[in-house]
């Protein structure tokens, strides 16, 4: 016989019945007779020596006599808080948790690089078209302006291959590539450029982001999978704003610069003017300090002497470079907003 002490949860009386194994459970027998049938699987360990019963508040069982093997093997083990920590120790547990956390962050950071190439180009183009629309009526269509811009793009990227480059009447020194091959040059950047060859280098850089699928990576990284799961409707305008202030990795920026230089070399357009453009913006960045966000291209594209030197070094001193477009075309392009009487004014679409 094995005696236990027992509280039934209904009264404060401490009973001392005998525990009797009974198939998948046990019974408690006392002077008053046999108690209910209890299941072994419903027992829970309170502290390793005292047991409770699921769904019966206040029910307790403890052993007065040592539990025999046929009972002991059915008793539940105590589940301690932090059991796996206790098993490995606090130090190793912290190291393991940190390693798992870093691995998870690494996967999240790398996910856009894996997912972006899997997005069909047709879907990406739909998303880009939904973002652009008519850009709130801010696209500039002054006489000859778009034709001149198309000629510049064709000069550095003859195949075109789905590219669509427009000028928007936004007074910000910036350019942005959208999904699907649309590139938008803001009026502020156009006015900052001193020559069409400067603009050619900037457009070539944005084409590099398009060709390398950097745009989709950036959108996935900043907007998350909602951009894939939410379709092309919804927050298309919000996605466009996201890309205006997008920042790419240092490697992506370097690859886009190299792509631009390659385009200019094949088109026989001098990269020196683009180097000068970067030099002026870099000086502006130094002067403005924290206020550099006021100039969009500085805030969203890392300027440095290294990038300036990269373009300058790529120039061939023996090459007979020719301008990307003619002076009349350049004049029509830089005046394309001023000469468009129907274009909507810049009213703080961004920032």
């Amino acid at each position: 016989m094995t005696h236990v002490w027992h509280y039934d949860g209904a009264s404060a009386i401490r009973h001392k019945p005998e525990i009797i194994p009974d198939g998948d459970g046990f019974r408690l027998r006392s002077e008053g007779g046999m108690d209910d049938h209890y299941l072994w699987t419903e027992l829970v360990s309170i502290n390793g020596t005292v047991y409770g019963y699921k769904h019966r508040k206040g029910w307790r069982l403890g052993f007065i006599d040592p539990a025999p093997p046929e009972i002991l093997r059915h008793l539940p083990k105590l589940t301690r808080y932090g059991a796996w920590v206790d098993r490995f120790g606090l130090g190793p547990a912290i190291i393991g948790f940190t390693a798992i956390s870093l691995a998870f962050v690494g996967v999240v950071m790398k996910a856009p690089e894996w997912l972006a190439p899997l997005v069909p180009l047709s879907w990406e183009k739909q998303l880009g078209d939904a973002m652009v629309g008519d850009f709130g009526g801010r696209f500039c269509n002054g006489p000859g302006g778009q034709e001149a811009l198309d000629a510049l793009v064709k000069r550095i990227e003859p195949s075109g291959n789905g590219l669509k480059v427009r000028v928007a009447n936004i007074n910000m020194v910036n350019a942005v590539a959208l999904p699907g091959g649309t590139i938008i040059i803001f009026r502020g950047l156009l006015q900052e450029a001193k020559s069409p060859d400067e603009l050619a280098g900037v457009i070539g850089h944005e084409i590099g982001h398009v060709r390398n699928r950097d745009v989709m990576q950036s959108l996935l990284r900043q907007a998350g999978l909602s951009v894939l799961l939410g379709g092309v409707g919804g927050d298309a305008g919000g996605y466009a704003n996201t890309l205006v202030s997008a920042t790419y990795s240092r490697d992506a920026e370097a690859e886009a610069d190299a792509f631009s230089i390659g385009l200019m070399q094949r088109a026989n357009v001098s990269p020196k003017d683009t180097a000068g453009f970067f030099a002026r913006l870099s000086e502006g960045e130094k002067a403005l300090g924290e206020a550099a966000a006021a100039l969009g291209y500085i805030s969203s594209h890392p300027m440095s002497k290294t990038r300036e030197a990269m373009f300058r070094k790529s120039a061939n001193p023996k090459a007979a470079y020719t301008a990307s477009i003619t002076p009349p075309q350049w004049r029509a392009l830089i005046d394309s907003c001023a000469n468009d009487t129907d274009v909507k004014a810049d009213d703080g679409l961004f920032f």
Side-chain angles (χ1 to χ4, degrees), residues 301-322:
H301 294 74
M303 294 291 99
S304 69
K305 288 293 182 181
T306 302
R307 297 184 73 195
E308 173 198 345
M310 185 177 178
F311 275 83
R312 200 174 299 282
K313 184 179 179 180
S314 69
N316 183 354
K318 297 181 180 180
Y321 293 118
T322 56

Side-chain angles (χ1 to χ4, degrees), residues 13-70:
I13 299 174
R14 182 182 174 111
H15 303 281
K16 294 183 179 180
E18 178 187 358
I19 184 170
I20 301 173
D22 183 16
D24 59 354
F26 60 92
R27 293 180 181 275
L28 299 176
R29 183 171 62 190
S30 62
E31 294 179 357
M34 193 74 76
D35 201 349
D36 295 339
H37 178 79
Y38 301 99
L39 296 173
W40 295 116
T41 55
E42 294 294 298
L43 283 178
V44 291
S45 179
I46 303 298
N47 62 10
T49 59
V50 177
Y51 301 90
Y53 201 77
K54 292 179 183 177
H55 314 301
R56 290 202 182 185
K57 188 176 181 180
W59 192 100
R60 294 292 184 269
L61 179 73
F63 284 83
I64 298 173
D65 300 326
E70 63 269 22

Side-chain angles (χ1 to χ4, degrees), residues 175-227:
V176 59
L178 300 181
T182 295
I183 295 170
I184 300 176
I185 307 299
F186 292 167
R187 187 189 79 236
L189 186 144
L190 191 59
Q191 293 173 339
E192 178 69 23
K194 303 300 183 185
S195 73
D197 293 355
E198 288 191 8
L199 184 63
V202 173
I203 292 176
H205 178 92
E206 298 302 327
I207 293 174
H209 284 312
V210 171
R211 298 298 189 229
N212 296 333
R213 305 298 295 273
D214 295 333
V215 183
M216 203 65 211
Q217 287 184 38
S218 178
L219 192 57
L220 287 170
R221 187 170 288 112
Q222 296 185 69
L225 290 177
S226 61
V227 70

